[in-house]
């Protein structure tokens, strides 16, 4: 079965070299003149912006065009606990990755954390195409490795990744699943991963897993490993900071609890409609622009996918048009910017999404995606017309940066809460990039709580970290037997 699941963030990561200097050459060989103003992505021409924008849109369509196939269950009991994984923000809010470890002794990897898909996959040490720049997984050096040898393939808009299914121990944030099924990928048709990211951890439900395996998080929660049956994300914002580095602190991912220092007020939950546990799909009841309600293009609420692995927000054409109709001087893009809308950069646009009775605002700087000229910008909402059983809206990081998002297994629901000042302080350009964590506290080459490595070259220390993590893992683990 082929179920395309790649988050667009991976594509963004390979196309957008988000440093303040112009003329960045990506791994794909595109030369992308890129200068920062108050907003990060200024393209030399509308065409260049358009190529980038179209790729984003295509990846998203493909990702959400997978087949949903219910499968078996798994999981077993263990101690209850909580875990925190510090994240890295890659390429000015394009993607957010965390760390996990696989095998015995443990090998550490950086993986995109994606609530919009359900498979774990890593590049293999046998990788033959498209994988040179990242740390691969080597099954032969793990004593707990079990090669299932089942072919696995994921198809993207412009390529594919393929390999086979394996099992091994997977550890993250102090938790462990001894026989996690995941894919090792040995062929990738284009540069889908941007160093230091080696793969992807899907955090949605098993029903949409290409591998049909019980996802790592679901094995833990079904096994009773967590204090509370939920996970949460706080995502940082660096896209609006002119001097942001390629890698910046990304916020945090928690399992088994929500960090009370990260939010104020209540976490307001919206239930997933009965039987719809696939993506994290919840009904959205309204959208407003500058305080004015706009039509969602349907009567009643629409089910939207809440997706940390998607950078932007996609919705039906009619609704996107209705949003921009509230912004004077806006117009639909054409050619390579088709599917996006252009508007005057000087307009501060506040869009709010309503779930249940509660509205949550998106900051104007998150709304403003990229400048295609000195006065014209593209918005972070784009037209997504997939039809079929795919969600009509994908709510990605453009929104999720503005809240604490909580993904609750039981009762199945997604919650949002206002960010505390502590959480907002994580979007601080002077902070060190977190180093990978396995236990409850960060670890890294600088010792506990990590070294200051300046935020740019995060890949140099992977090998070191692998050794360090395997040494530190044992004491911190809550083993799921
Ligand atoms: C696992 O099995 C696949 C398919 O048979 C094979 O290509 C691959 O080399 C094996 N990997 C290891 C590490 O044994
Ligand atoms: C979140 O903050 C906004 C703005 O301060 C406020 O209006 C809203 O009531 C808060 N929501 C919750 C659930 O606390
Ligand atoms: C979705 O997949 C079906 C068949 O798998 C294909 O015919 C259709 O064109 C795809 N839609 C999009 C928008 O990619």
């Amino acid at each position: 079965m082929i179920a395309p699941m790649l988050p667009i963030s991976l594509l963004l990561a390979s196309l957008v070299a988000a440093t303040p200097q112009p003329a960045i050459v990506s791994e794909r060989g595109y030369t992308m003149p890129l200068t920062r103003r108050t907003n990060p992505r200024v393209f030399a021409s509308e065409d260049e912006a358009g190529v980038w924008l179209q790729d984003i849109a295509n990846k998203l369509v493909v990702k959400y065009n997978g087949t949903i196939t219910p499968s078996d269950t798994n999981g077993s009991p263990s101690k209850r606990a909580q875990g925190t994984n510090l994240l890295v923000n890659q390429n000015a809010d394009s993607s957010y990755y965390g760390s996990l470890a696989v095998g015995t002794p443990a090998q550490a990897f950086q993986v995109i954390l994606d609530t919009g898909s359900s498979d774990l996959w890593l590049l293999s040490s046998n990788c033959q195409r498209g994988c040179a720049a990242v740390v691969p997984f080597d099954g032969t050096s793990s004593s707990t490795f079990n090669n299932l040898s089942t072919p696995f393939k994921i198809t993207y808009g412009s390529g594919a990744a393929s390999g086979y299914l394996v099992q091994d121990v997977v550890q993250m944030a102090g938790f462990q699943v001894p026989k996690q099924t995941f894919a090792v990928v040995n062929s990738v048709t284009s540069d889908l991963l941007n160093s230091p990211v080696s793969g992807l951890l899907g955090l949605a439900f098993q029903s949409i897993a290409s591998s049909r395996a019980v996802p790592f998080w679901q094995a833990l929660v079904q096994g009773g490993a967590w204090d509370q049956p939920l996970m949460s994300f706080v995502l940082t914002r660096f896209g609006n900071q002119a001097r942001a580095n390629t890698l910046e602190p990304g916020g945090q991912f928690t399992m088994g609890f929500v960090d009370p220092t990260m939010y104020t007020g209540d976490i307001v939950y919206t239930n997933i409609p009965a039987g719809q546990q696939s993506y994290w799909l919840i009904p959205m009841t309204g959208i407003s622009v500058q305080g004015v309600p706009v039509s969602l293009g349907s009567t009643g609420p629409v089910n939207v996918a809440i997706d940390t692995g998607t950078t932007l927000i996609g919705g039906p054409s009619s609704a996107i048009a209705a949003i921009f109709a509230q912004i004077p001087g806006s117009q639909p893009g054409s050619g390579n910017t088709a599917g996006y809308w252009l508007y005057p950069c000087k307009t501060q646009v506040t869009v709010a999404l309503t779930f249940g009775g509660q509205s949550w605002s998106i900051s104007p700087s998150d709304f403003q995606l990229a400048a295609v000229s000195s006065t014209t910008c593209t918005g972070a909402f784009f037209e997504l017309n997939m039809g079929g059983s795919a969600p009509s809206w994908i709510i990605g990081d453009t929104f999720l940066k503005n809240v604490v998002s909580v993904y609750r297994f039981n009762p199945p629901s997604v919650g949002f809460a206002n960010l505390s000042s502590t959480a907002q302080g994580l979007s601080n350009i002077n902070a060190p990039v977190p180093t990978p964590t396995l236990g409850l506290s960060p670890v890294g080459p600088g010792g506990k709580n990590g070294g200051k490595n300046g935020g740019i070259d995060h890949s140099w220390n992977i090998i070191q970290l692998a050794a360090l993590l395997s040494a530190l893992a044992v004491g911190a683990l809550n083993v799921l037997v």
Side-chain angles (χ1 to χ4, degrees):
M1 188 189 86
I2 294 170
M5 296 295 172
L6 190 79
I8 61 162
S9 50
L10 295 188
L11 181 88
L12 276 169
S14 66
L15 286 182
V16 181
T19 72
Q21 282 75 40
I24 302 301
V25 180
S26 81
E27 285 173 50
R28 283 186 166 186
Y30 296 146
T31 300
M32 183 174 294
L34 188 73
T35 53
R36 282 281 181 74
R37 299 190 186 168
T38 47
N39 291 286
R41 301 179 192 97
V42 181
F43 297 90
S45 69
E46 199 171 310
D47 270 2
E48 285 187 6
V51 168
W52 179 75
L53 293 167
Q54 285 309 305
D55 274 334
I56 295 176
N58 289 339
K59 289 296 181 187
L60 192 59
V61 168
V62 169
K63 174 178 176 182
Y64 280 93
N65 198 18
T67 312
I68 296 178
T69 49
S71 188
D72 58 335
T73 56
N74 193 14
S76 45
S78 78
K79 290 183 233 169
R80 292 173 188 276
Q82 319 180 331
T84 300
N85 199 239
L86 299 183
L87 306 179
V88 178
N89 176 328
Q90 190 173 31
N91 292 331
D93 310 347
S94 292
S95 58
Y96 297 83
Y97 66 80
S99 53
L100 50 68
V102 181
T104 310
Q107 304 170 43
F109 300 98
Q110 313 280 23
V111 289
I112 300 291
L113 302 185
D114 182 18
T115 61
S117 71
S118 303
D119 291 284
L120 168 60
W121 59 274
L122 296 169
L123 288 173
S124 153
S125 55
N126 295 332
C127 194
Q128 283 142 14
R129 281 199 301 164
C131 358
V134 307
V135 177
F137 172 66
D138 180 10
T140 60
S141 64
S142 170
S143 64
T144 43
F145 178 72
N146 177 24
N147 195 345
L148 299 175
S149 299
T150 310
F152 174 85
K153 189 174 186 187
I154 303 177
T155 304
Y156 320 113
S158 57
S162 59
Y164 46 89
L165 296 180
V166 304
Q167 281 182 338
D168 208 335
V169 55
V170 174
Q171 304 171 31
M172 185 182 209
F175 295 103
Q176 167 174 314
V177 175
K179 290 183 176 168
Q180 177 66 46
T181 297
F182 61 99
V184 289
V185 162
N186 52 24
S187 175
V188 180
T189 51
S190 50
D191 295 304
L192 293 164
L193 298 180
N194 200 38
S195 180
V197 174
S198 298
L200 182 149
L201 178 64
L203 296 170
F205 293 88
Q206 184 187 8
S207 63
I208 58 166
S210 306
S211 62
R212 303 180 183 230
V214 178
F216 176 74
W217 76 274
Q218 206 175 329
L220 291 172
V221 71
Q222 288 179 176
W226 294 348
D227 282 353
Q228 298 170 61
L230 49 77
M231 7 181 216
S232 78
F233 278 90
V234 173
L235 302 177
T236 58
R237 175 185 301 115
F238 283 88
N240 61 344
Q241 300 193 27
R243 291 177 301 113
N245 294 310
T246 301
L247 302 179
E248 292 284 0
Q252 67 177 37
F253 167 57
T254 67
M255 292 187 276
F257 79 119
V258 184
D259 184 340
T261 68
M262 290 292 136
Y263 67 96
T264 58
D266 294 328
I267 301 171
V268 184
Y269 286 97
T270 302
N271 288 339
I272 295 174
Q276 302 236 13
Q277 294 98 316
S278 51
Y279 304 102
W280 289 94
L281 208 59
I282 55 170
M284 180 168 70
T285 46
I287 292 185
S288 70
V289 182
Q290 318 293 43
V292 178
V294 300
S295 168
L296 290 179
S298 74
T299 58
V302 292
N303 290 335
V304 304
I306 308 299
D307 183 1
T308 58
T310 285
T311 310
L312 309 178
I313 296 176
S317 302
S318 57
I320 302 300
I323 288 171
F324 284 91
Q326 297 300 323
I327 306 169
S330 64
Q331 58 180 24
S334 59
N336 278 330
T337 54
Y340 289 84
W341 280 67
L342 309 175
Y343 74 103
C345 297
K346 65 179 193 307
T347 308
Q348 296 279 298
V349 179
T350 301
V351 175
L353 309 184
T354 304
F355 299 92
Q358 189 71 48
S359 277
W360 307 93
S361 291
I362 296 166
S363 81
S365 67
D366 290 328
F367 182 85
Q368 191 160 97
L369 175 63
V372 297
S373 76
S374 58
T375 54
T376 304
C377 282
T378 52
F381 283 67
F382 70 96
E383 297 174 2
L384 180 70
N385 300 300
M386 293 189 293
S389 61
S392 55
W393 285 87
I394 313 300
I395 309 296
D397 304 330
T398 294
F399 174 71
L400 297 173
K401 282 179 273 186
N402 295 275
V403 292
V404 177
S405 56
V406 184
Y407 305 80
R408 188 168 66 178
F409 182 68
N410 190 22
S413 48
V414 178
F416 301 120
N418 280 328
L419 295 167
S420 67
S421 55
T422 304
Q424 290 173 36
L426 297 176
S427 297
N428 177 348
I429 198 162
N430 295 315
V433 169
T435 47
T437 58
L438 267 191
L440 295 174
S441 32
V443 294
K448 233 178 172 184
N449 296 318
K452 294 187 192 238
N453 67 12
I456 295 204
D457 185 2
H458 197 56
S459 54
W460 62 273
N461 58 18
I462 295 296
I463 303 300
Q464 254 178 293
L465 282 171
L468 189 62
L469 289 173
S470 61
L472 291 177
V474 183
L477 279 178
N478 301 286
V479 179
L480 183 76
V481 185

